[in-house]
Amino acid sequence: MIILLVLMFGVMYFGMMRPQKKQQQQRMEMLKGLKKGDKIVTIGGLHGVIDSIDRAGNTVDLDLDGVFLTFSLSAIRTVTPAAAPVEDKPYSEPSSDDVTSSDAGSDNADSEAASEDTPADSDKQDDSESK
């Protein structure tokens, strides 16, 4: 009977308590890794960018499209790290090889089809004229 009780406690620990501790540890690591410029979502659903962090007071100032608000660190649900700066590539003109003859032909066919009246359109015009 005692073995069964110990076995039930072990299953409960590994099934419930251990995953909760791992999740809590991951959340603490996420909060410790916050830095200026990270995009976040609060538990209330507000999306913003971190402007400053006060670790002593456990608060964070968020820039919400020009509106600055102060939140508790515990109000942060998810964090998206700031994107690395993208290197600017020089612009180059598209070459004539980039445009295929089938693309050029389809543009002309589309414009011709749009300018033609269909028989149904001409019937509608006749009906509107008779009224």
Side-chain angles (χ1 to χ4, degrees):
M1 190 65 161
I2 293 175
I3 295 173
L4 184 61
L5 187 61
V6 169
L7 183 64
M8 282 180 25
F9 181 74
V11 168
M12 187 170 48
Y13 174 77
F14 284 107
M16 294 173 56
M17 294 179 198
R18 188 166 180 240
Q20 185 178 6
K21 284 184 180 182
K22 282 180 120 177
Q23 187 179 30
Q24 186 178 14
Q25 184 180 13
Q26 287 175 344
R27 179 165 170 76
M28 292 303 293
E29 288 175 13
M30 176 190 70
L31 292 177
K32 286 180 183 178
L34 291 176
K35 61 186 178 299
K36 184 176 180 175
D38 287 348
K39 294 180 181 181
I40 62 105
V41 179
T42 66
I43 57 176
L46 290 174
H47 295 251
V49 177
I50 296 177
D51 185 57
S52 65
I53 301 171
D54 179 14
R55 301 268 183 209
N58 284 335
T59 60
V60 62
D61 292 328
L62 300 179
D63 179 8
L64 305 166
D65 291 333
V67 178
F68 293 89
L69 299 175
T70 303
F71 287 93
S72 172
L73 283 175
S74 62
I76 296 175
R77 179 175 54 192
T78 58
V79 176
T80 304
V86 178
E87 294 181 21
D88 291 334
K89 294 182 181 179
Y91 176 74
S92 63
E93 292 289 326
S95 65
S96 61
D97 296 336
D98 293 341
V99 178
T100 62
S101 61
S102 64
D103 290 341
S106 66
D107 290 340
N108 292 337
D110 291 340
S111 63
E112 289 174 9
S115 65
E116 293 180 8
D117 286 334
T118 60
D121 290 341
S122 62
D123 291 340
K124 289 179 186 176
Q125 290 176 354
D126 292 340
D127 291 338
S128 64
E129 290 175 4
S130 64
K131 289 182 182 179

